[in-house]
Structures are given as structure tokens and as C-alpha cells.
Amino acid sequence: MQCEECVYYYYDEDYEEYICTMDMDEDEYAGFCQRNYKGCPYFRDNDEYKTARKQ
């Protein structure tokens, strides 16, 4: 899973860069940075047609 496909990946016009907008507190963020994840545990697919294809 890549950040570019995540619903939390957002372009911030003020800083002119992409950022993760997942709402994490300090402890969650520290734990996230210290662990080696194969994939982000907070990833949420931004594919709005995913549900429609299953019908």
C-alpha cells in the first residue's frame, strides 16, 4: 500500500507538499515512527468505486 493511494494523503497548499492527515496523538506517532511496518496500519483506500464493483 502506498501513501499516494490513501484517503489520508493530502496536498497542503500552504506548505506546497503532500502530508499524511491521519489524526494521531504523540504516543501513536512515536510508536508509528519506531516500528518497521510492511504497510501502514492506518491506510484506507481512496478508491470510491471499490464498493460499486462488488455489487
Side-chain angles (χ1 to χ4, degrees):
M1 312 272 168
Q2 295 184 0
C3 292
E4 293 84 12
E5 299 169 3
C6 183
V7 72
Y8 297 116
Y9 198 61
Y10 174 77
Y11 185 75
D12 188 330
E13 293 180 2
D14 294 333
Y15 294 104
E16 297 181 351
E17 66 182 359
Y18 283 93
I19 58 170
C20 178
T21 59
M22 178 61 199
D23 188 23
M24 292 183 259
D25 64 23
E26 283 185 43
D27 294 333
E28 287 176 315
Y29 185 72
F32 179 72
C33 291
Q34 291 174 355
R35 293 186 184 97
N36 292 329
Y37 292 109
K38 291 182 181 177
C40 177
Y42 304 109
F43 178 83
R44 211 170 105 208
D45 196 359
N46 196 21
D47 186 1
E48 58 191 53
Y49 298 106
K50 188 175 188 176
T51 305
R53 284 194 293 264
K54 288 185 178 184
Q55 294 178 351

